[in-house]
Amino acid sequence: MIIDSHSHIGTRIGSHQTGAELADRMDAAGVDLACIFPHVEAGFSNDEVDVAMTERPDRFIPFMALNPWVGRSAVEELHRRADRGYRGIKLHPTIHGYNLGDLALLAPILDAARERALIVIAHGASDVLNAPPAFAKIARAYPEVPLLMAHSGVFQMHEEAIEAAREHPSLYLECARVPAYEISVQIRELGPEKVVWGSDSPFCDYTWEYQKVSRTVDSEEARLLVCGGNLARLLGL
Ligand SMILES: [Zn+2]
């Protein structure tokens, strides 16, 4: 089963993707399932995920975006969505303006994520607000919560990302928009069990983004882990 861990649904200025459009892209690429969450810029709504779920409920795994600065209502939103079958959380420290290592700010969300057995995927492109040490800090404090580092700390902190993933069993490197060479390095260093494919659609050529990873992984067994098996295990599918 091929699963995309990272796709955006709905509309924001300059970007748009419906559930039907994403499902068509998945069909063309040969992808079975996708984890979907909204674009995360100001005014985002997880209701866009609900709309996409009504379009193709057989193809999507609903994730919610949360902004920790809205405090109590972010936790209420988490429980409301988890009650309706949402399986994960998208965090974007750079867009929402906080440091991913700020555990005092994130504790209410992470406590609830642990309680509701949710996966967390956070933007992790080595920006100053989401560098690998911040991921390590979360993984240390919340080892029960599977944590995906979107974009694998590329480029400036790729080495540190690999080190953090090696050290923390719950931390995985997600390779959307990561070049093929860096993906091959992280698979060689960590094994395919620690690398998870995501597309970051609609910000990509969907088929290209999938083929990039499937062609980089050298064995069929490893390809199936990176492109879906690891995530299926984390989600209990
Ligand atoms: Zn994204």
Side-chain angles (χ1 to χ4, degrees), residues 86-157:
Y86 279 55
R87 303 298 312 280
I89 299 166
K90 170 65 186 281
L91 298 175
H92 204 307
T94 305
I95 288 177
H96 292 156
Y98 62 94
N99 191 313
L100 186 68
D102 186 346
L103 285 186
L105 176 66
L106 286 172
I109 287 175
L110 294 171
D111 287 344
R114 179 169 56 196
E115 179 191 336
R116 304 304 299 260
L118 300 170
I119 285 177
V120 174
I121 178 168
H123 183 76
S126 79
D127 306 345
V128 70
L129 295 177
N130 50 74
F135 283 85
K137 204 169 164 184
I138 292 180
R140 207 174 293 124
Y142 293 88
E144 311 88 348
V145 178
L147 178 62
L148 273 56
M149 186 192 300
H151 317 300
S152 302
V154 163
F155 282 100
Q156 280 77 9
M157 301 202 80

Side-chain angles (χ1 to χ4, degrees), residues 137-204:
K137 204 169 164 184
I138 292 180
R140 207 174 293 124
Y142 293 88
E144 311 88 348
V145 178
L147 178 62
L148 273 56
M149 186 192 300
H151 317 300
S152 302
V154 163
F155 282 100
Q156 280 77 9
M157 301 202 80
H158 190 227
E159 285 294 318
E160 288 81 357
I162 289 171
E163 283 168 25
R166 183 183 289 122
E167 193 176 331
H168 298 285
S170 60
L171 179 59
Y172 297 80
L173 300 187
E174 185 268 6
C175 50
R177 299 162 86 178
V178 176
Y181 175 74
E182 279 71 18
I183 294 170
S184 68
V185 170
Q186 61 201 43
I187 289 173
R188 187 184 70 220
E189 294 289 321
L190 297 168
E193 299 80 5
K194 294 286 281 183
V195 180
V196 172
W197 174 63
S199 70
D200 203 10
S201 76
F203 307 107
C204 66

